[in-house]
Amino acid sequence: MSARPAALPEGSRVVIKVGSSSLTRDDGGLDLNRIDVLARLVAGMRQRGHDVVLVSSGAVAAGLPPLGIEHRPDDLSMLAAAASVGQGRLMARWQAAMSNYGVVIAQVLLTAQDVAVRSHYRTVRTTFDTLLDLGTVPIINENDAVATTEFNLGDNDHLAALVAHLVTADVLILLTDVDGMWTARPGTPGAAPIRYVPGGRSLEDVDVTGSGSALGTGGMRTKAQAATIACASGTATIIASADDAARLLGPGGVPTDLGTWFEPTGPHRPSRRLWMAHASRVEGRVLIDAGAADALTVGKKSLLLPGVVGVNGEFESGSVIEVIGPRGPVARGICRYASTEIEEVLDARGSGAPMPDHLVPVVHRDDLAELPRLAS
């Protein structure tokens, strides 16, 4: 496509993510007017034939004032406590607002376990499909009350990209406090908005170093990464200001002077590959040389032992591993060797022993999911 679309695809399935900074007032309380506006817009989208899933931040922010805490804490237990207090308050506000427009909502709190474990992942997909078939608007957040430092879904931009995979969304909309992506931080001399990113265009030269707000966890970098992940699997992505939500989500189409539209860089992929690439829990890493990286990405081949130059971590056969090339992560896949077996081969190679013939692939092509290059 050579030009930015001026409307959402007819009857498309849309995931909308709204961040903490867009749902809170300057004093830290929930912005009830913003919630009501978004509820009205979502109801209108439903009436026009769109399936809508909402990823809502704000649980921690909603829980801080009742606890008498002025600033977002760094301590994990304090964050969990604030989320536990705030999640109910947040959902009560969404429930009240959506019901005014005849919309039934469904709360879904996800954990990393729900998307990292394949059987859980399939169950969550089925649940989403059923909720959308019933005409509800699922409202998603991470279950921060039980998340751990070692095993969590990270920021809600990444969560929204995973949800877009789970529901096979046509469009992911990331609402934030900035009008899309810019060539440099807004206000910098010469900075200009980027309104359209065609499929395959590189963002490596774009400044995405801005941090998130005082109440949020993400910045433009996390949104660019979420867009890259979603687009690689067939989901167009829009990054836009929540202040422009009425123009962006209303019946008049998507104005081309708002936000940044990212075209998909690949087709919708089977859920198994989506799970391996972006939702599975990585048990270890295998380092490969440039030739093997080209064989995987250009030649679309399996990963063979001669291209492996190192191994990191301990894992068993059948584990999901990350494949690291000279320029960074290349793919994830299900390894057919244990880490100790790969290390034995590498040690034998280092001593000059010949490589045996007819070796089983380290990761077979059928068990491999390439990773998109993320904004750094």
Side-chain angles (χ1 to χ4, degrees), residues 155 157-158 174 208 210 217-227:
D155 59 86
D157 296 316
H158 185 248
L174 302 174
V208 293
T217 60
M220 191 52 66
R221 179 181 60 82
T222 67
K223 290 168 181 59
Q225 290 178 339

Side-chain angles (χ1 to χ4, degrees), residues 55-311:
V55 177
S56 175
S57 301
V60 171
L64 295 181
L67 295 174
I69 301 174
E70 295 184 358
H71 303 288
R72 182 184 177 94
D74 295 324
D75 181 73
L76 183 62
S77 62
M78 291 294 290
L79 286 172
S84 298
V85 172
Q87 183 63 37
R89 291 170 174 262
L90 178 65
M91 288 302 299
R93 297 302 186 185
W94 280 119
Q95 173 71 45
M98 293 285 190
S99 62
N100 288 334
Y101 301 99
V103 176
V104 177
I105 67 169
Q107 176 179 258
V108 180
L109 296 179
L110 295 176
T111 67
Q113 193 80 358
D114 294 324
V115 293
V117 178
R118 177 63 179 161
S119 59
H120 292 204
Y121 184 83
R122 289 197 300 266
T123 299
V124 172
R125 281 179 61 90
T126 301
T127 298
F128 275 127
D129 286 340
T130 302
L131 288 172
L132 290 169
D133 288 344
L134 291 171
T136 73
V137 172
I139 298 183
I140 319 300
N141 201 354
E142 181 170 8
N143 193 346
D144 293 312
V146 297
T148 66
T149 302
E150 296 78 14
F151 203 28
N152 62 70
L153 290 167
D155 59 86
N156 271 7
D157 296 316
H158 185 248
L159 172 61
L162 292 180
V163 170
H165 292 329
L166 284 163
V167 302
T168 318
D170 299 293
V171 182
L172 168 64
I173 300 175
L174 302 174
L175 296 179
T176 181
D177 52 5
V178 180
D179 180 25
M181 179 170 287
W182 289 55
T183 56
R185 190 187 298 269
T188 303
I194 300 172
R195 296 304 183 198
Y196 180 55
V197 180
R201 174 177 165 181
S202 173
L203 293 175
E204 293 179 10
D205 296 329
V206 176
D207 181 4
V208 293
T209 57
S211 61
S213 70
L215 288 173
T217 60
M220 191 52 66
R221 179 181 60 82
T222 67
K223 290 168 181 59
Q225 290 178 339
T228 303
I229 291 171
C231 289
S233 299
T235 299
T237 303
I238 304 172
I239 300 176
S241 171
D243 291 339
D244 295 325
R247 291 182 62 199
L248 187 71
L249 305 177
V254 181
T256 56
D257 63 338
L258 296 182
T260 304
W261 181 296
F262 298 79
E263 277 295 310
T265 58
H268 285 300
R269 291 188 288 172
S271 63
R272 182 169 179 268
R273 280 201 164 91
L274 295 181
W275 166 75
M276 283 192 292
H278 304 301
S280 60
R281 185 178 185 181
V282 174
E283 300 291 341
R285 290 167 176 81
V286 166
L287 312 180
I288 63 174
D289 58 28
D294 286 342
L296 294 183
T297 58
V298 179
K300 308 302 180 184
K301 304 294 186 181
S302 300
L303 175 60
L304 304 179
L305 272 170
V308 176
V309 297
V311 62

Side-chain angles (χ1 to χ4, degrees), residues 317-319 334-338 341 360-367:
S317 173
S319 299
I334 299 175
C335 188
R336 300 193 176 190
Y337 291 83
E341 294 174 317
V360 173
V362 178
V363 180
H364 193 276
R365 188 70 201 176
D366 293 342
D367 296 328

